[in-house]
Amino acid sequence: MTAIKHALQRDIFTPNDERLLSIVNVCKAGKKKKNCFLCATVTTERPVQVKVVKVKKSDKGDFYKRQIAWALRDLAVVDAKDAIKENPEFDLHFEKIYKWVASSTAEKNAFISCIWKLNQRYLRKKIDFVNVSSQLLEESVPSGENQSVTGGDEEAVDEYQELNAREEQDIEIMMEGCEYAISNAEAFAEKLSRELQVLDGANIQSIMASEKQVNILMKLLDEALKEVDQIELKLSSYEEMLQSVKEQMDQISESNHLIHLSNTNNVKLLSEIEFLVNHMDLAKGHIKALQEGDLASSRGIEACTNAADALLQCMNVALRPGHDMLLAVKQQQQRFSDLRELFARRLASHLNNVFVQQGHDQSSTLAQHSVELTLPNHHPFHRDLLRYAKLMEWLKSTDYGKYEGLTKNYMDYLSRLYEREIKDFFEVAKIKMTGTTKESKKFGLHGSSGKLTGSTSSLNKLSVQSSGNRRSQSSSLLDMGNMSASDLDVADRTKFDKIFEQVLSELEPLCLAEQDFISKFFKLQQHQSIPGTMAEAEDLDGGTLSRQHNCGTPLPVSSEKDMIRQMMIKIFRCIEPELNNLIALGDKIDSFNSLYMLVKMSHHVWTAQNVDPASFLSTTLGNVLVTVKRNFDKCISNQIRQMEEVKISKKSKVGILPFVAEFEEFAGLAESIFKNAERRGDLDKAYTKLIRGVFVNVEKVANESQKTPRDVVMMENFHHIFATLSRLKISCLEAEKKDAKQKYTDHLQSYVIYSLGQPLEKLNHFFEGVEARVAQGIREEEVSYQLAFNKQELRKVIKEYPGKEVKKGLDNLYKKVDKHLCEEENLLQVVWHSMQDEFIRQYKHFEGLIARCYPGSGVTMEFTIQDILDYCSSIAQSH
């Protein structure tokens, strides 16, 4: 162990200016035996630092390396495990507990003893030594600075102690006095011994000489001690006196603290009382207004409104913690609740009476509007009720049940009132549409009730009858000549258009004004949301608003919007059925009225959606617009069906087909109605369907015609269609216009060629034979040498067609064409002129063949082109 100690001193500690005082060979407890050394060291420089260093042998060689070091001042406890029995285990408590097992108990005890001595000498604190034998701790704390560490390691500690600077200086002075005669050490030692004896003797004599002074000093010390005792007695008495003063001051301080605490509590109590008084005290005037205030006068309503607001503020005050436990606060809150309940009952009862009175007052004004196409004005009623708007808002936030009851009662009273007004209004509109009472009975109206009779099936039956009447009227055109497609003139349709516009113009401000009033009076916010249907309001009839809060809490914004819409549906539930009945009546009067209704309804829907696309008016008009559009589509389908069902007379000529004339009437009317309209696209689609049906059925009738040639039917009707489209300039039918013109031109040419036939039949057969020979390869100038086609045969054929015979044939042809063509289309002169051109073309063709095949023969026709022109002109003038 000594060799290891010297090796560690040399290799590890000397380079770091440290001295190794003790060493123990240890391993960690409870683990594999990995031996290391714990070393107790001190630094050679001052101030001295004491450390415990763990040294471990390197794995790569036989040298040792420093692994970790702890300062001795960080050591808190040394636990030797057992003070009686020998036990090599011990613990060192640094920042954590390190458990060690020494190689022997002797090494452990020597190491712990060294730690004890170093603690006593260099540290100011005491390390706790637990389970350590008292024999190891017999060494007391050294009293002198130069006193060395005693015990088993004294020699080890003194062996390495160095001289300080003063000791070195004294030795040097001493050696200078001996002239550095160090070579004679014995003489030097004797000299030192003699000087020491001299000094000892001098010290003894000095002590003896100072004995008197010592006695005097002792007496002074005794007197000083007596004085100290007296001073201590006085200090004790002073301390007793100060102790009583201290107790009194403590009492005064405690009293002051209690007084301050009492003042603080009083201030807080006053603040709480002032808070409750200021926020929960309702003025007597407000209480009187809530209990007895006049709800009929403007001044009384204002006073009640202010009182209700003050009551609401008192009830909604945010109480501080603990206030709700005070009896006075509970009583005041109960008083407020009673006042709220009392005033809510009074307000609800008064407003219910106002609603009832309004129904009676408004009913008395219905008589003056019964003969005029106007709706009663509800603005005065709205103006009077809006004075209660703030009170309704108060009721909504304080008693939602009564607010809900008022809402239901308002809807019940007003729905009955509006139903009477609107039904009377539509009754007047229906009478004005049909004219006199007798005429109204013809369309299913009884007296002044204005209500349509029969079920929906009967309405449809009437509509079909109206369409049948139109078909019968159109069919009669074949026999009765040129008549209008309807027995209603433009004035009747204009009258209907004005009445329908008047109806919509009266309904629109009525609905908007009522919706605005509901929003303001019942304090419901109007924001856009998804439009609803009548189905959403079915539960309104049951007496409760759908999706409402029964707990008294206000509705969210989206629900408030739904509530407005549902209230409007309940109040004006008769508008949509009445509008549908009116539309059905107009459609029965004249199916073309659906055009007027589609344009007017589309415009009003567009206007309503620009204001509020989710409003009741926008939704209702949108639903009715769907019905109008269906009627319009049905009108188009009926016209197409009439085209398909048309029958022509076998005894008279066809002329312009009735559905072609009806298309002209429809297109002219539609263009005047739909000018600058929003739903032009619907009309363009209808045009496409109608013109396609017209084209198909014109060709169908032409194929079935027996009296009139097919080409004449096609020519006249397509000429009429082309003229109509050219006059109206319908942009979506430009392609059909060109197609109609082409069909007219083609069938005109076909009819001319067919009717003209071969007026010079024998001459035509002769030249056909000539053309056949030329086609077979015979040269044109050699045709005259053929026996059947020589000059003599040509002259023989030409003599059979003198000018008189030609004129007679043309006159018969003119009479035949005149029988085929109708007078209203006035195409006779056009056809006759085309026949003249065609005849001249054939004449020129024959002249050309004669010139080429019979050159120099001098053979010519017995009439000229000028003769043909004169014949045609004189025939046309004669007829």
Side-chain angles (χ1 to χ4, degrees):
M1 182 62 70
T2 304
I4 294 175
K5 184 176 181 181
H6 283 286
L8 293 177
Q9 176 66 49
R10 180 184 68 247
D11 298 334
I12 295 177
F13 300 110
T14 299
N16 293 327
D17 295 331
E18 293 177 312
R19 285 187 291 147
L20 177 60
L21 302 183
S22 180
I23 184 173
V24 58
N25 186 6
V26 296
C27 63
K28 288 187 177 180
K31 292 189 178 181
K32 294 182 180 181
K33 303 298 182 179
K34 291 185 178 180
N35 292 338
C36 59
F37 296 98
L38 292 180
C39 304
T41 66
V42 295
T43 58
T44 57
E45 295 182 355
R46 295 182 184 274
V48 178
Q49 296 183 7
V50 186
K51 297 180 180 179
V52 177
V53 182
K54 178 182 176 183
V55 177
K56 184 178 180 183
K57 192 172 184 179
S58 175
D59 297 335
K60 298 181 180 180
D62 295 335
F63 62 91
Y64 296 91
K65 64 178 181 180
R66 186 186 189 119
Q67 190 172 16
I68 189 171
W70 299 275
L72 191 63
R73 65 176 177 272
D74 295 333
L75 180 60
V77 178
V78 177
D79 187 359
K81 296 297 183 182
D82 197 334
I84 302 173
K85 297 180 180 180
E86 292 186 357
N87 187 353
E89 297 181 3
F90 66 97
D91 297 342
L92 299 180
H93 293 216
F94 289 101
E95 73 279 1
K96 65 179 183 177
I97 300 174
Y98 293 91
K99 298 179 180 295
W100 306 100
V101 179
S103 60
S104 66
T105 305
E107 287 186 13
K108 181 190 82 169
N109 293 337
F111 183 75
I112 293 176
S113 178
C114 181
I115 294 297
W116 162 262
K117 295 173 183 177
L118 291 172
N119 177 53
Q120 295 296 324
R121 179 169 183 179
Y122 293 106
L123 300 182
R124 296 296 183 186
K125 75 182 198 73
K126 300 293 185 178
I127 299 174
D128 291 335
F129 288 85
V130 182
N131 299 322
V132 180
S133 174
S134 60
Q135 296 177 357
L136 298 176
L137 305 179
E138 290 179 351
E139 183 71 27
S140 59
V141 180
S143 58
E145 181 182 353
N146 295 329
Q147 189 174 358
S148 61
V149 179
T150 60
D153 290 327
E154 183 177 356
E155 294 83 6
V157 175
D158 293 339
E159 180 181 358
Y160 297 102
Q161 190 170 1
E162 296 180 358
L163 297 176
N164 55 31
R166 183 174 180 181
E167 289 174 342
E168 291 179 356
Q169 185 178 1
D170 291 341
I171 291 176
E172 288 180 356
I173 293 172
M174 189 182 301
M175 291 176 68
E176 288 177 358
C178 298
E179 298 179 356
Y180 297 96
I182 302 303
S183 59
N184 191 353
E186 293 180 358
F188 182 66
E190 289 179 359
K191 182 179 180 182
L192 291 176
S193 178
R194 287 195 300 270
E195 290 179 356
L196 183 59
Q197 291 176 359
V198 173
L199 289 174
D200 291 337
N203 287 335
I204 292 172
Q205 291 178 1
S206 176
I207 291 172
M208 292 175 66
S210 59
E211 183 177 358
K212 294 180 180 180
Q213 295 179 356
V214 171
N215 292 331
I216 294 172
L217 180 61
M218 294 300 292
K219 290 180 181 180
L220 291 174
L221 289 174
D222 292 336
E223 293 175 358
L225 289 173
K226 292 179 181 179
E227 293 293 334
V228 168
D229 292 338
Q230 293 177 0
I231 291 173
E232 287 181 352
L233 291 174
K234 289 183 179 181
L235 288 176
S236 298
S237 64
Y238 293 158
E239 185 176 1
E240 292 177 359
M241 296 171 64
L242 290 175
Q243 184 66 30
S244 63
V245 173
K246 179 177 179 298
E247 292 176 356
Q248 295 176 2
M249 292 301 296
D250 290 341
Q251 293 177 357
I252 293 173
S253 176
E254 184 177 359
S255 176
N256 289 336
H257 174 71
L258 293 175
I259 293 172
H260 177 72
L261 183 60
S262 176
N263 290 336
T264 303
N265 291 336
N266 290 334
V267 171
K268 289 183 178 180
L269 179 60
L270 179 62
S271 174
E272 297 295 330
I273 294 174
E274 289 178 347
F275 173 81
L276 293 175
V277 170
N278 293 334
H279 291 85
M280 296 193 68
D281 185 24
L282 191 61
K284 293 182 179 179
H286 290 333
I287 296 175
K288 184 177 180 181
L290 293 173
Q291 293 175 341
E292 306 172 359
D294 183 12
L295 290 172
S297 65
S298 299
R299 182 174 297 180
I301 293 172
E302 184 179 2
C304 291
T305 302
N306 295 332
D309 290 339
L311 175 62
L312 184 62
Q313 291 178 1
C314 291
M315 295 186 68
N316 292 339
V317 63
L319 296 177
R320 296 170 184 174
H323 284 177
D324 54 351
M325 300 177 66
L326 297 175
L327 179 60
V329 172
K330 292 181 180 179
Q331 293 175 349
Q332 190 74 345
Q333 288 178 334
Q334 184 61 42
R335 185 182 183 188
F336 290 156
S337 298
D338 295 341
L339 280 173
R340 179 190 64 185
E341 183 66 24
L342 173 63
F343 183 67
R345 286 198 304 270
R346 290 184 60 232
L347 178 62
S349 176
H350 178 77
L351 289 178
N352 279 327
N353 294 334
V354 173
F355 297 158
V356 175
Q357 185 64 32
Q358 168 62 17
H360 293 308
D361 294 344
Q362 199 74 16
S363 298
S364 62
T365 64
L366 290 179
Q368 65 185 23
H369 293 277
S370 60
V371 295
E372 301 176 2
L373 194 58
T374 57
L375 283 166
N377 187 5
H378 288 248
H379 176 70
F381 174 56
H382 291 165
R383 181 192 58 214
D384 294 341
L385 278 181
L386 284 177
R387 298 181 301 169
Y388 301 94
K390 291 184 178 179
L391 290 176
M392 283 297 295
E393 183 178 12
W394 176 86
L395 188 64
K396 180 181 178 181
S397 61
T398 57
D399 194 337
Y400 196 79
K402 288 186 174 58
Y403 168 84
E404 183 182 50
L406 278 176
T407 303
K408 178 182 177 298
N409 291 338
Y410 179 82
M411 289 189 296
D412 291 340
Y413 292 132
L414 267 294
S415 62
R416 292 195 290 268
L417 174 62
Y418 275 119
E419 186 172 2
R420 292 195 301 270
E421 294 177 354
I422 291 171
K423 285 187 176 181
D424 291 344
F425 173 73
F426 276 94
E427 187 177 309
V428 174
K430 293 171 186 176
I431 293 174
K432 288 183 176 293
M433 283 183 180
T434 56
T436 62
T437 305
K438 292 182 179 180
E439 290 174 340
S440 65
K441 289 181 179 179
K442 180 177 68 174
F443 292 101
L445 301 178
H446 287 296
S448 60
S449 65
K451 296 182 180 179
L452 295 175
T453 61
S455 61
T456 305
S457 61
S458 64
L459 298 181
N460 294 334
K461 184 182 298 183
L462 285 172
S463 178
V464 172
Q465 291 174 358
S466 176
S467 301
N469 293 336
R470 182 179 294 279
R471 287 199 302 274
S472 63
Q473 292 165 359
S474 301
S475 301
S476 65
L477 292 175
L478 298 174
D479 302 323
M480 300 175 61
N482 185 16
M483 286 183 60
S484 173
S486 173
D487 59 351
L488 294 175
D489 56 11
V490 176
D492 293 330
R493 291 173 177 165
T494 304
K495 175 184 175 182
F496 173 83
D497 182 40
K498 291 181 179 179
I499 293 174
F500 192 73
E501 172 64 24
Q502 179 71 14
V503 169
L504 296 180
S505 298
E506 288 290 323
L507 288 177
E508 185 172 338
L510 180 71
C511 294
L512 292 177
E514 184 63 31
Q515 179 169 313
D516 184 63
F517 168 75
I518 288 175
S519 174
K520 292 179 180 178
F521 182 70
F522 292 99
K523 294 301 177 181
L524 301 173
Q525 300 184 28
Q526 297 192 63
H527 293 288
Q528 293 188 3
S529 64
I530 301 174
T533 61
M534 288 294 292
E536 293 180 358
E538 289 180 355
D539 51 359
L540 284 170
D541 299 332
T544 57
L545 290 170
S546 64
R547 291 179 291 176
Q548 66 190 7
H549 294 250
N550 295 325
C551 59
T553 58
L555 295 170
V557 173
S558 59
S559 297
E560 288 187 353
K561 179 59 183 178
D562 294 338
M563 185 174 176
I564 292 177
R565 187 170 64 253
Q566 292 175 9
M567 289 179 67
M568 291 291 292
I569 292 173
K570 176 69 180 298
I571 293 172
F572 293 107
R573 58 190 172 187
C574 64
I575 284 184
E576 187 169 341
E578 289 294 333
L579 273 174
N580 287 331
N581 291 337
L582 186 68
I583 290 168
L585 176 63
D587 192 56
K588 284 182 289 185
I589 293 174
D590 184 0
S591 61
F592 281 177
N593 284 336
S594 61
L595 278 71
Y596 292 98
M597 291 187 287
L598 180 62
V599 172
K600 295 300 182 183
M601 189 61 69
S602 299
H603 176 71
H604 282 272
V605 168
W606 179 81
T607 303
Q609 287 182 344
N610 284 341
V611 175
D612 184 3
S615 66
F616 163 79
L617 180 65
S618 177
T619 304
T620 302
L621 294 183
N623 294 338
V624 176
L625 177 60
V626 173
T627 303
V628 174
K629 179 62 169 58
R630 289 173 182 167
N631 290 344
F632 175 76
D633 293 339
K634 185 172 65 176
C635 173
I636 302 301
S637 300
N638 288 338
Q639 291 191 55
I640 295 175
R641 187 173 66 253
Q642 291 172 21
M643 296 177 193
E644 297 171 349
E645 296 175 356
V646 69
K647 301 296 182 181
I648 59 174
S649 174
K650 296 181 180 180
K651 296 181 180 180
S652 61
K653 56 185 176 183
V654 176
I656 302 302
L657 293 171
F659 57 80
V660 174
E662 283 187 355
F663 174 77
E664 180 185 11
E665 179 189 5
F666 173 83
L669 181 64
E671 286 300 309
S672 63
I673 295 174
F674 278 81
K675 187 177 182 180
N676 301 324
E678 286 84 1
R679 297 184 70 95
R680 177 73 194 193
D682 294 331
L683 180 61
D684 291 342
K685 293 178 182 178
Y687 277 149
T688 304
K689 294 179 181 179
L690 283 175
I691 200 66
R692 190 181 301 119
V694 169
F695 277 30
V696 171
N697 288 283
V698 165
E699 190 167 354
K700 173 188 173 185
V701 172
N703 292 333
E704 296 174 354
S705 174
Q706 297 179 1
K707 182 71 174 177
T708 305
R710 177 180 183 275
D711 287 329
V712 173
V713 177
M714 297 285 285
M715 174 185 64
E716 288 182 329
N717 283 278
F718 278 109
H719 177 269
H720 193 85
I721 293 170
F722 170 71
T724 300
L725 296 180
S726 299
R727 175 171 54 85
L728 297 178
K729 297 179 181 180
I730 302 173
S731 58
C732 68
L733 297 180
E734 282 297 322
E736 285 77 6
K737 183 180 74 173
K738 294 178 182 179
D739 191 17
K741 182 179 180 182
Q742 185 63 41
K743 288 180 180 294
Y744 154 70
T745 304
D746 293 343
H747 289 284
L748 171 62
Q749 187 67 23
S750 175
Y751 176 68
V752 167
I753 294 174
Y754 170 78
S755 299
L756 187 61
Q758 298 174 349
L760 310 177
E761 185 176 0
K762 294 182 179 180
L763 186 61
N764 191 65
H765 285 309
F766 180 84
F767 281 111
E768 284 181 355
V770 172
E771 290 176 342
R773 295 296 186 278
V774 173
Q776 291 174 359
I778 300 176
R779 295 172 63 183
E780 290 182 344
E781 59 271 14
E782 296 178 355
V783 173
S784 59
Y785 300 107
Q786 299 289 321
L787 181 62
F789 300 101
N790 56 25
K791 297 178 183 178
Q792 289 76 14
E793 292 293 327
L794 175 62
R795 288 189 180 97
K796 182 179 178 181
V797 172
I798 288 176
K799 287 183 180 180
E800 293 185 11
Y801 295 100
K804 184 178 180 180
E805 290 295 327
V806 171
K807 183 177 180 181
K808 181 179 179 181
L810 290 174
D811 187 62
N812 292 332
L813 178 63
Y814 187 89
K815 293 178 180 178
K816 180 181 178 182
V817 171
D818 189 25
K819 290 181 180 179
H820 288 164
L821 298 180
C822 65
E823 295 180 0
E824 61 266 22
E825 200 59 24
N826 196 22
L827 288 178
L828 179 59
Q829 295 303 320
V830 176
V831 174
W832 183 244
H833 184 72
S834 298
M835 287 185 171
Q836 173 184 291
D837 293 341
E838 178 62 22
F839 190 31
I840 292 174
R841 187 193 65 79
Q842 291 186 12
Y843 179 87
K844 290 181 179 180
H845 179 64
F846 294 154
E847 286 287 339
L849 287 176
I850 293 173
R852 292 194 304 276
C853 298
Y854 302 93
S857 63
V859 179
T860 59
M861 303 287 285
E862 293 192 1
F863 57 92
T864 63
I865 292 177
Q866 185 60 43
D867 293 336
I868 296 174
L869 294 174
D870 293 339
Y871 297 158
C872 292
S873 176
S874 63
I875 292 172
Q877 290 177 1
S878 65
H879 291 279

